[in-house]
Amino acid sequence: MTQLRTGRRRYYDIFSHCYDAFIRLHSRQNEDDTRDFLVDAAHLGGKCIPRILDVCCGTGSVILTFKERCPDALAVGYDFSHGMLSRAQEKNRGDTVFVEGDAAALPFAEDTFDVVTCSHALYELKGETRQTALREMKRVVRPDGYVLVMEHEVPRHPVVRFLFHVRMASMGAKDAREFVRGGLDPFRRIFPSVSLSHSRTGKSKLVSCRK
Ligand SMILES: C[S@@+](CC[C@H](N)C(=O)[O-])C[C@H]1O[C@@H](n2cnc3c(N)ncnc32)[C@H](O)[C@@H]1O
């Protein structure tokens, strides 16, 4: 793992102690709306799919919610931060599996999962790592499956938009900002079929990809 990624991993190990509280504060009542929107999409019209992988799962909000709805599914959460995965494991009431590793090298065979999700994380990965991670998601999803990526939308409110750009700048800037603004291009370079929708609040966008 590069030095940059090691630093980021340590950052999340520390952040993990207050991550859920921070997200609650930041999102207020909209948190469930956003997460549920992704889980609804992974639910494929109310049907429980058998195998789901959540890449960059953090403290497990998406994968654990999915598992509550579909207790019989094989649910795997994947992240490179030991701290984030420890918090996820503490909340794990079922048999969700958590695996530690880099999104750019998924330790799963090709065509393993029916759905691969990734929420609010891809924008943090730098150029080539992000494209490699997307290629990896494509590799491990089944030919008839979906890769569902949820990302921040650029906020409309000027003050919130300013704070958003400050955060982007703190993340290594241009690259992350271009990705968030870049719409579907980074996805279209990898997947032949890509579509876009938004959560009810409009704060997050969902990119659905098929291989
Ligand atoms: C902003 S958090 C999002 C967590 C979660 N998906 C959510 O929606 O709450 C970003 C997560 O991506 C993980 N992450 C960042 N870069 C990664 C990489 N290269 N490989 C694996 N995980 C990574 C971090 O450890 C962190 O848990």
Side-chain angles (χ1 to χ4, degrees):
M1 215 178 283
T2 65
Q3 214 170 4
L4 185 67
R5 296 230 270 283
T6 309
R8 203 83 208 126
R9 190 156 50 93
R10 291 212 187 102
Y11 163 86
Y12 272 107
D13 283 345
I14 295 165
F15 193 17
S16 67
H17 295 284
C18 58
Y19 181 81
D20 283 350
F22 176 82
I23 293 294
R24 265 195 303 277
L25 194 71
H26 181 255
S27 321
R28 308 231 174 89
Q29 75 277 16
N30 296 328
E31 184 201 1
D32 288 341
D33 163 63
T34 303
R35 295 264 156 59
D36 281 354
F37 183 62
L38 180 55
V39 174
D40 282 347
H43 218 192
L44 300 187
K47 269 199 336 228
C48 275
I49 46 131
R51 284 173 298 263
I52 179 167
L53 168 69
D54 188 31
V55 178
C56 300
C57 66
T59 55
S61 310
V62 167
I63 196 73
L64 292 172
T65 307
F66 179 85
K67 182 71 180 178
E68 267 170 35
R69 292 206 204 167
C70 296
D72 294 333
L74 168 68
V76 180
Y78 185 81
D79 200 285
F80 71 175
S81 161
H82 188 74
M84 295 295 265
L85 290 181
S86 300
R87 304 288 93 71
Q89 194 57 59
E90 283 161 18
K91 297 191 283 183
N92 190 2
R93 303 276 168 264
D95 57 0
T96 299
V97 178
F98 289 101
V99 180
E100 195 173 318
D102 194 332
L106 299 178
F108 308 106
E110 59 192 64
D111 304 346
T112 300
F113 296 96
D114 302 281
V115 169
V116 176
T117 53
C118 182
S119 136
H120 300 100
L122 266 194
Y123 73 102
E124 295 191 11
L125 274 54
K126 302 283 170 280
E128 199 35 52
T129 308
R130 181 185 306 124
Q131 295 305 104
T132 308
L134 276 173
R135 274 195 291 274
E136 278 292 84
M137 294 183 211
K138 181 182 179 187
R139 181 180 67 76
V140 303
V141 78
R142 287 161 51 99
D144 56 349
Y146 287 85
V147 173
L148 303 173
V149 178
M150 180 160 261
E151 285 294 334
H152 297 286
E153 193 51 282
V154 179
R156 274 174 248 150
H157 190 286
V159 177
V160 185
R161 190 163 60 229
F162 173 73
L163 293 173
F164 175 80
H165 287 310
V166 170
R167 172 154 161 74
M168 286 297 127
S170 77
M171 311 260 6
K174 199 162 159 268
D175 193 48
R177 207 166 54 229
E178 271 171 12
F179 175 67
V180 172
R181 281 186 177 154
L184 300 178
D185 289 351
F187 300 92
R188 288 203 170 115
R189 270 182 237 130
I190 307 244
F191 294 92
S193 166
V194 175
S195 62
L196 176 71
S197 52
H198 284 90
S199 67
R200 189 175 52 82
T201 58
K203 287 185 170 182
S204 292
K205 63 181 177 192
L206 178 70
V207 183
S208 306
C209 312
R210 308 205 70 177
K211 72 178 185 182

